[in-house]
Each structure stands twice: as C-alpha cells, then as structure tokens.
Amino acid sequence: MAIKYTIQGLLIYAALAVYAVAFVMMVLRFAKLGRVLYLIGFAFMIIAFGYRWYDVQHIPLQNLFEVFLALGMLVYPLSLFSRRLLQVGGEAVDMLIGVVLLIPLGFVFSAEPQKLPPALQSWLFAPHVAAYVFSYVIMAKATVQAVCQLYCTSGPVDKQQISFELGTYRMVCLGFPLLTIGLILGSWWGKLAWGDYWGWDPKEMWSLASWLVYITYFHFRYMYGKKYPRINSLLVILGMIVIVITLLWVNLSRLFAGMHSYAT
Amino acid sequence: MNKLHRFEIWSTLLLIVWLAALSVVTAFYGAQKTAIFFNSLPLAIYWLMLTGFLLAGLVTFRRLIRLPGLLLIHFGCVLILVGAMWGSASGHHLQKKLFGIDKVPFGYMMIYEGTAENHIIAEDDTVLAELPFSIYLKDFRIEYYSDESYLQVEKRAGIRDYFSDLILLEGEKQIARKTIEVNHPLHYGGYHFYQHLYDIEKGRYSLYTILTVYSDNGLNLVYAGYLMLSLGVLWQFWFRYIGAYLKRRVSGN
C-alpha cells in the first residue's frame, strides 16, 4: 500500500470517491444525482489518463497501472452505450466496478513511468492492448448480467430493459470481436517481434483459454440456450475468471513467468 | 436438429473444451515444454480432428454458409489450422519427403562484423542448412535512451534498440541492404531473419550478431485466416446489428 501524493494520484482518488458516492446514491434511489456524479468521476479519469499520456510521451497502456487507468475511464462510456443502445442496465454495478478498478490503481500499482524496451516499440502495441482493455471491461459487465441471471429473483427494475440472459448475450456479442482482434493483433505482433505468431507462452495459453470459453458459450447457447439458461451464465462467469487470471496472475506471480513478463 | 448435427456439434464442443483445458494445464509448464507437447503426435491427431470437424460443420450446417459472418469465422479457423500445421516442424518434414522442399523450420545465424555467412545452425552449432545466398554484417549497434543508461551496462533497461546493418549477397553480387532491429525483421528467400542476440559482455562493442531464422511456410494461410476471422467476428457481432439499426432509423423517420 502506497498513497500517491501527485496530481495524478489526487485525480485518481477524486474519481474513486465520486464513483463510490455515485454508487451509494444509486442504491438510495437518487438515480439522477448518481448519474451526474458518475459523469464527474469520468471527467476526472479523462484528465488523469490525458495527463499520464503527456507525462510518458506514448499511449499509456504499457503496465498494469496504465491499463487499469484506461479501464477505470472506460466504464462510464460503456454504461451509457449499453443503457441507451443495447437496453442493458446495471449502471450502479458499473460504478462499483469502477471503484474496484481504482483501488489497486490508487494504492497498489506503481506509477513509475518506464521507458519502452525494444520489443514494445511497435505500432501494434496500442491496438493490441486497447482491444483487450475494451473487451475486458465489456466482459466484466456481461458477467454482472450473468450473475443477476443466476441470483436475481425478479427481472431488471427498469421495464425498458431486456432480460438478464439476453443482456449477458448482448454484452458478450459486443466484447467478443475485440477479444478476438486483441488475440490476432498480439499474434501478428509476436511474429514481428519474437519470430513466431504463437509462442506457447503462459499468457498466450490463458488468453487462448478465455477465447475458447466464450466460443463454448456461443455454441452451447445456440444448441441448448433456452433449455439451460443457467449454464450459459456459468460459462460467462467462468470466462471472466479465466480473464482475471490472464490479466493479473500471469503478470503478478512468478509461477507463469514468460515473455509477457515485462508488462509488470 | 437431427442426429448428425447433434453428434457433430457435441464432438466439436468437446474438442474445444479439451483444448481450453490443455491450454490451462500447459500454462504451468512454461513455453518450451508446451511447444513440444502441442507438436507431439497425439496432438497432431487432435489438430487434424479439429480441422476435420470444422470442415464437416461447414458442409452440413447450412447456417454456416448462409450467414457470411459465420462462414468467414469458421473458414478462417480452418485456414489458420492448416497454415499452422503446414508451417510446423512436422509439416516441414512431410514437405521434404513428399515434394522435396528442403527448408528448416527454425535456426540461428551467427555473423561476425565484416564477414558474410550462409549457414543456418542449431543451438549446439551443428549446421542445419546452407542458404543459396549469404548475409554480410556491416555493423552491429545498440542505441541507448541516454548516456547515463549506457553507463549502467549491466542493466538492460536503458536500451532503446538493437540494430544489425545487413547486406544480402548472391556470390559476389550485392542484392539488397537492410538494417534489421527488434520488430523489423528481414524477409527474403522464404525465411524471416530476426535480431536476436550479441556478445553481452562487450555490449555495444560486440563484434558479432546472432540472428534467429524462421521459415515462412504456411504463414500466408495463417494471415489470410486471421483476416477472415477478424472480418467474420466484426460482421457477425457488430456490422449486422449496426446495419439493422440504421435501417430501422431510416424507416422510422
């Protein structure tokens, strides 16, 4: 645990506080106030991300600190997009996801800027990581819908919204192309930087496993989805567990040391 | 869904789940052992089965032909699998036996400054192949982010990039020049050449460079598969709905 006494740190803490208060407001049914606060938190995160970009002189998506900075910024636009265009709710939980993302960002990860090692100096760096960052946030939201499908006794509060099962499906459909493209761009980059498009590296194996879990979900839902909706939801939750391992465990533990290890 | 369809999709699902499980288990092995495992004979049978079931699905499920997104996704996966098998060590072995194409899948080249080299060697220095052209090393260089980071020679964190200035020779004739660096390999004669290593003790004053050499067999198939898979997922999961949404809005107004 280390508190960051920098402008960057203060912006993150401000966003964290605002997200948390917004969540409490939503729970207390002050939805309008909650949404205004959510927007303010988003503004703080944009400034924090822009400041970081300016500070390190390249797209800040190199290490866990920078990736979580992006994740914490992206929850707001995703909530808005999902509610307006996909009729998928769960804004209050999105705020909570924001809080959960900002706590390690503010207190655990090191903000020490790093110079890019040779292998990371490629134009594929930004799109590869950005595609994954987007898809992970979307899959987190899909997982919330899946958990609601399993445990919520009634449907969504807002009658305009679709069922949790369909909500899960729409979120996975939104995130899956990005997950696929992230994998393919990574493979292409691997060919340029390391010599082979597939290196059998632990992180690659975990990311392949997460992709395959969602493939299983699509095929199972196509065959038996209406009959066993609970299994659909369990598969989406399993996908998220594998994603969390891919993102964190591989970087944080020495158990899986491999070629992706510089992204500490 | 008839019996054949049910058998097919269940088998494919089992194959997918099996691959996911193997990926998770082998993630604990480390890359080297995992590569050996996935290139072993039982796994070769697995890859052939997976490709076979994908092709069978394309033939028997009319939905996969009717929806362009699904067709692109599944056919793209077939191309990736075929390209990967074609480019594997066993694929190279088979091509040598069947068609007499004699290429090594992978090797190293060690070139001293001011000399030309045309041998691909293994890790233990045995010669694997002789190229019909040779590579002349003009200079090996390392660039640092700053002079300070250069002074900490033992710390590799300050290195900006490694370069080898290469000249391709056919006999005495110069064919091409290229400076390779990390992320920018040389592609020539069916191989990719990568900046790999140097004399670490001498650092930027290293008198030689070590390149890794990869055969490009099957690579175009894999890339074509990647393109189809990307377009397929975008079409199936995004563009279809965006198109329908725009249509609704136009007819709604």
Side-chain angles (χ1 to χ4, degrees):
Chain A
M1 293 289 268
I3 295 168
K4 298 179 174 68
Y5 299 102
T6 53
I7 301 171
Q8 178 112 62
L10 292 177
L11 281 167
I12 292 167
Y13 297 134
L16 176 62
V18 176
Y19 278 176
V21 176
F23 172 69
V24 173
M25 288 300 139
M26 292 302 274
V27 173
L28 297 174
R29 310 221 166 204
F30 297 110
K32 256 196 181 149
L33 182 59
R35 279 177 189 152
V36 170
L37 287 170
Y38 195 16
L39 178 62
I40 295 171
F42 173 57
F44 280 134
M45 287 309 293
I46 288 188
I47 300 169
F49 190 79
Y51 179 83
R52 178 73 179 184
W53 195 328
Y54 171 77
D55 199 30
V56 293
Q57 301 282 317
H58 58 76
I59 295 183
L61 290 171
Q62 191 193 356
N63 47 37
L64 279 176
F65 176 81
E66 291 171 354
V67 168
F68 270 65
L69 197 63
L71 289 170
M73 179 179 67
L74 289 170
V75 283
Y76 178 81
L78 181 65
S79 298
L80 200 66
F81 179 82
S82 308
R83 185 164 62 92
R84 290 277 175 82
L85 288 166
L86 303 177
Q87 285 83 46
V88 178
E91 263 181 315
V93 189
D94 293 346
M95 296 167 191
L96 200 60
I97 292 178
V99 171
V100 170
L101 290 170
L102 294 194
I103 288 172
L105 180 69
F107 297 105
V108 181
F109 299 142
S110 163
E112 196 68 46
Q114 291 166 300
K115 290 264 196 284
L116 285 180
L120 292 190
Q121 295 163 27
S122 164
W123 70 271
L124 283 160
F125 173 32
H128 164 60
V129 182
Y132 266 124
V133 168
F134 271 106
S135 72
Y136 285 178
V137 183
I138 296 166
M139 292 311 187
K141 204 167 151 57
T143 310
V144 173
Q145 294 286 313
V147 170
C148 283
Q149 195 276 322
L150 284 177
Y151 296 110
C152 295
T153 41
S154 59
V157 188
D158 190 339
K159 284 288 165 267
Q160 289 213 315
Q161 285 163 10
I162 51 175
S163 76
F164 289 129
E165 201 283 323
L166 194 56
T168 311
Y169 179 65
R170 284 198 182 167
M171 293 318 294
V172 176
C173 283
L174 182 67
F176 186 73
L178 289 168
L179 197 70
T180 309
I181 286 167
L183 189 62
I184 287 175
L185 288 175
S187 170
W188 184 17
W189 186 11
K191 179 70 202 168
L192 289 177
W194 296 328
D196 229 334
Y197 50 82
W198 196 258
W200 309 103
D201 180 63
K203 186 143 181 152
E204 293 177 9
M205 299 319 287
W206 278 105
S207 63
L208 177 67
S210 61
W211 192 72
L212 291 169
V213 171
Y214 290 104
I215 296 254
T216 310
Y217 166 76
F218 283 124
H219 287 88
F220 187 84
R221 191 179 183 276
Y222 171 64
M223 285 194 301
Y224 302 105
K226 299 227 166 56
K227 232 165 148 187
Y228 307 109
R230 297 174 75 85
I231 298 185
N232 293 345
S233 305
L234 284 173
L235 281 170
V236 171
I237 294 169
L238 179 66
M240 194 65 218
I241 294 171
V242 178
I243 281 179
V244 169
I245 296 172
T246 313
L247 181 64
L248 295 180
W249 197 358
V250 173
N251 286 143
L252 296 182
S253 112
R254 279 159 196 270
L255 197 56
F256 297 115
M259 295 194 288
H260 281 85
S261 293
Y262 40 58
T264 47
Chain B
M1 211 183 281
N2 63 29
K3 258 189 179 164
L4 176 69
H5 281 161
R6 198 165 299 156
F7 166 74
E8 253 179 48
I9 205 153
W10 264 111
S11 314
T12 312
L13 251 181
L14 277 179
L15 289 176
I16 293 170
V17 171
W18 182 233
L19 182 57
L22 286 179
S23 304
V24 168
V25 172
T26 52
F28 291 87
Y29 288 10
Q32 230 170 356
K33 275 189 191 165
T34 307
I36 293 168
F37 174 74
F38 277 101
N39 280 292
S40 63
L41 184 66
L43 266 291
I45 295 164
Y46 171 87
W47 295 122
L48 285 171
M49 273 175 70
L50 187 61
T51 314
F53 271 99
L54 272 165
L55 281 171
L58 279 169
V59 174
T60 50
F61 280 85
R62 291 203 43 216
R63 193 179 141 86
L64 293 186
I65 306 281
R66 217 175 48 238
L67 293 176
L70 291 183
L71 180 63
L72 281 169
I73 290 170
H74 289 84
F75 195 68
C77 286
V78 171
L79 286 186
I80 293 167
L81 286 167
V82 171
M85 287 190 277
W86 191 254
S88 70
S90 317
H92 279 81
H93 191 66
L94 208 65
Q95 286 156 54
K96 190 176 173 183
K97 271 197 164 166
L98 294 179
F99 312 113
I101 305 170
D102 196 6
K103 267 172 87 175
V104 283
F106 170 75
Y108 299 90
M109 283 183 92
M110 184 175 176
I111 314 174
Y112 280 88
E113 279 180 354
T115 67
E117 182 58 64
N118 68 342
H119 290 102
I120 301 177
I121 55 176
E123 208 149 351
D124 58 3
D125 289 345
T126 52
V127 175
L128 296 172
E130 198 172 302
L131 294 170
F133 54 92
S134 55
I135 301 175
Y136 176 89
L137 176 67
K138 198 159 164 262
D139 192 18
F140 169 80
R141 292 174 285 132
I142 299 179
E143 281 184 11
Y144 297 81
Y145 276 111
S146 66
D147 286 340
E148 278 160 54
S149 57
Y150 165 60
L151 291 174
Q152 311 167 313
V153 184
E154 72 285 356
K155 277 181 96 178
R156 289 170 75 183
I159 289 174
R160 197 181 72 75
D161 213 341
Y162 311 95
F163 302 88
S164 291
D165 299 324
L166 304 178
I167 299 172
L168 284 172
L169 301 169
E170 225 158 62
E172 296 290 298
K173 214 177 88 211
Q174 179 178 326
I175 327 165
R177 307 171 74 109
K178 163 122 182 166
T179 298
I180 61 167
E181 56 182 295
V182 180
N183 271 311
H184 299 275
L186 161 73
H187 189 204
Y188 188 81
Y191 291 100
H192 279 97
F193 300 88
Y194 293 82
Q195 177 62 51
H196 180 60
L197 209 64
Y198 55 98
D199 188 343
I200 294 172
E201 272 171 27
K202 293 212 171 101
R204 62 156 67 165
Y205 301 112
S206 168
L207 294 174
Y208 61 84
T209 188
I210 296 178
L211 312 180
T212 42
V213 186
Y214 287 83
S215 156
D216 67 355
N217 282 12
L219 191 63
N220 286 335
L221 280 177
V222 172
Y223 280 175
Y226 281 173
L227 190 65
M228 290 173 87
L229 180 56
S230 307
L231 291 175
V233 286
L234 287 173
W235 182 267
Q236 178 68 17
F237 295 108
W238 287 7
F239 298 160
R240 270 194 328 151
Y241 298 105
I242 295 171
Y245 173 78
L246 292 177
K247 234 184 208 168
R248 264 207 315 276
R249 287 202 60 167
V250 168
S251 60
N253 289 338

